[in-house]
């Protein structure tokens, strides 16, 4: 019995839709016109070569299904796993430090003038400033979405500045998902990683990603004001990616909350 032509059409259409839904995304950037970095997205996984350059290459592999982020230190051949338990431990440690600081401040305020002057002579300037309390500790970064727009490699985007303790830390030009034609599933995973990074900003070794917590869109240019490094989009590819791109290397796994006694 011959198969109706309409059935071939339906099967072909379904196959095309399924293939499009399974398309992976790879964003390729150049840093200051030289080194190349990538953000690769596949299903629940993201791999981000986010900075450092050849001297100190750092990579993130994020699994949205497990809500775990692995920070890969390529130079030292170490992996720092970060998950909800890690973040909870960091928050508890921060709370203990804050309670200790408040206790020290009470003792400082209750000192006699003579004892206070003697005490201050033994303090480092930054310690004294924190003890006296200038209102800056514990303040979160603030994002200001500027009206300035730009076109980078043919893609329109809008600049976002991150201000941390009244100082500009980074500037990112973001584009909407439709602008770069990113699949919805890949975009959702990328935004989930940015939100997760927002919860890890105070965790050891993750401070350089503080800007990610505020991103709502695809980053086309990322500028680190402190280091003067600028990553600019070079290309956006929608094609299947291999499993190897998201596999973790067999490096030593280190607790990011552990005190580092020996630095290399």
């Amino acid at each position: 019995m011959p198969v109706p032509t309409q059935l071939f059409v339906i099967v072909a259409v379904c196959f095309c839709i399924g293939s499009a839904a399974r398309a992976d995304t790879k964003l390729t950037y150049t840093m200051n016109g030289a080194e190349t970095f990538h953000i690769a997205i596949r299903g629940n996984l993201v791999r981000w070569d986010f900075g450092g350059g050849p001297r100190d290459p750092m990579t993130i592999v994020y699994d949205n299904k497990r809500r775990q982020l692995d920070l890969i230190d390529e130079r030292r051949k170490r992996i720092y796993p970060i998950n909800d338990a890690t973040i909870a431990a960091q928050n508890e440690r921060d709370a203990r430090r804050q309670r200790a600081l408040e206790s020290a401040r009470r003792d400082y305020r209750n000192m006699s003038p003579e004892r206070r002057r003697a005490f201050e002579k033994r303090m480092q300037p930054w310690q004294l400033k924190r003890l006296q309390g200038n209102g800056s500790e514990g303040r979160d970064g603030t994002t200001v979405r500027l009206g300035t727009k730009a076109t980078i490699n043919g893609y329109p985007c809008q600049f976002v500045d991150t201000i941390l303790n009244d100082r500009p830390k980074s500037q990112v030009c973001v584009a909407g998902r439709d602008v770069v034609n990113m699949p919805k599933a890949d975009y959702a995973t990328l935004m989930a990683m940015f939100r997760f990074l927002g919860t890890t900003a105070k965790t050891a070794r993750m401070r350089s990603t503080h800007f990610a917590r505020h991103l709502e869109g695809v980053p086309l240019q990322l500028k680190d004001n402190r280091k003067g490094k600028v990553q600019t989009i070079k290309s956006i590819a929608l094609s299947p990616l291999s499993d190897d791109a998201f596999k973790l290397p067999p490096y030593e796994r280190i607790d990011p909350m552990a005190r580092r006694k020996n630095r290399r």
Side-chain angles (χ1 to χ4, degrees):
M1 179 178 179
V3 180
T5 303
Q6 293 89 339
L7 181 58
F8 281 116
V9 174
I10 293 172
V11 171
V13 170
C14 291
F15 176 79
C16 291
I17 292 175
S19 299
R22 291 193 299 270
D24 304 324
T25 303
K26 186 175 184 179
L27 310 174
T28 300
Y29 302 81
T30 58
M31 178 178 285
N32 297 341
E35 300 94 352
T36 301
F37 299 88
H38 304 282
I39 296 180
I41 312 165
R42 183 184 185 184
N44 290 306
L45 300 173
V46 183
R47 181 185 179 94
W48 182 10
D49 306 306
F50 73 90
R55 292 186 177 181
D56 195 17
M58 305 292 282
T59 300
I60 284 174
V61 174
Y62 173 67
D63 186 333
N64 191 43
K65 187 175 182 180
R66 296 191 300 134
R67 279 184 58 82
Q68 173 152 322
L69 182 149
D70 288 287
L71 177 64
I72 306 171
D73 185 334
E74 300 285 0
R75 184 170 69 87
R76 299 175 180 85
K77 299 188 182 306
R78 295 172 177 174
I79 296 177
Y80 300 86
I82 300 172
N83 49 39
D84 289 333
T86 308
I87 297 168
Q90 176 68 56
N91 291 338
E92 175 57 29
R93 189 167 74 175
D94 288 345
R96 290 197 303 269
R97 287 177 173 175
Q98 187 61 33
R99 289 193 294 268
L101 177 59
E102 291 171 357
S103 176
R105 284 176 174 169
R106 286 193 298 270
D107 294 341
Y108 175 75
R109 289 192 296 266
N110 293 331
M111 288 180 182
S112 65
E114 294 79 9
R115 185 184 176 192
R116 184 178 300 173
R117 283 192 293 269
F119 181 77
E120 290 173 351
K121 289 180 180 180
R122 300 194 300 269
M123 303 287 288
Q124 295 291 330
W126 66 269
Q127 293 174 319
L128 184 59
K129 187 176 183 180
R130 188 177 185 193
L131 188 63
Q132 292 172 337
N134 61 358
S136 64
E137 65 279 347
R139 288 169 58 184
D140 197 0
T142 301
T143 298
V144 179
R145 182 175 290 274
L146 304 180
T148 304
K149 297 182 179 180
T151 299
I152 298 179
N153 282 352
Y155 299 105
C157 57
Q158 187 171 28
F159 282 105
V160 177
D161 277 342
T162 298
I163 311 299
L164 187 64
N165 295 339
D166 299 325
R167 295 183 180 181
K169 299 292 290 185
S170 61
Q171 186 181 69
V172 185
C173 203
V174 295
R177 181 191 68 81
D178 55 335
V179 171
V180 299
N181 196 32
M182 182 181 289
K184 290 183 178 179
D186 289 354
Y187 182 79
T189 299
L190 182 63
M191 294 304 103
M193 183 188 73
F194 288 153
R195 288 191 296 270
F196 188 86
L197 283 170
T199 67
T200 68
K202 293 188 296 183
T203 303
R205 294 183 170 269
M206 295 303 297
R207 300 183 190 279
S208 60
T209 61
H210 58 82
F211 65 87
R213 79 182 78 175
H214 304 294
L215 289 185
E216 187 62 41
V218 181
L220 301 184
Q221 188 176 82
L222 304 95
K223 179 180 179 181
D224 186 327
N225 290 329
R226 185 172 62 87
K227 297 182 179 179
K229 295 180 178 180
V230 181
Q231 294 187 41
T232 303
I233 194 72
K234 180 181 180 181
S235 64
I236 300 175
L238 302 178
S239 59
L241 297 172
S242 68
D243 293 338
D244 292 340
F246 304 92
K247 287 183 179 178
L248 298 176
Y251 294 165
E252 179 185 11
R253 299 183 75 83
I254 304 292
D255 181 357
M257 297 297 297
R259 294 183 179 276
R260 286 170 286 162
K261 296 180 180 180
N262 299 316
R263 299 192 181 189
R264 290 188 288 170

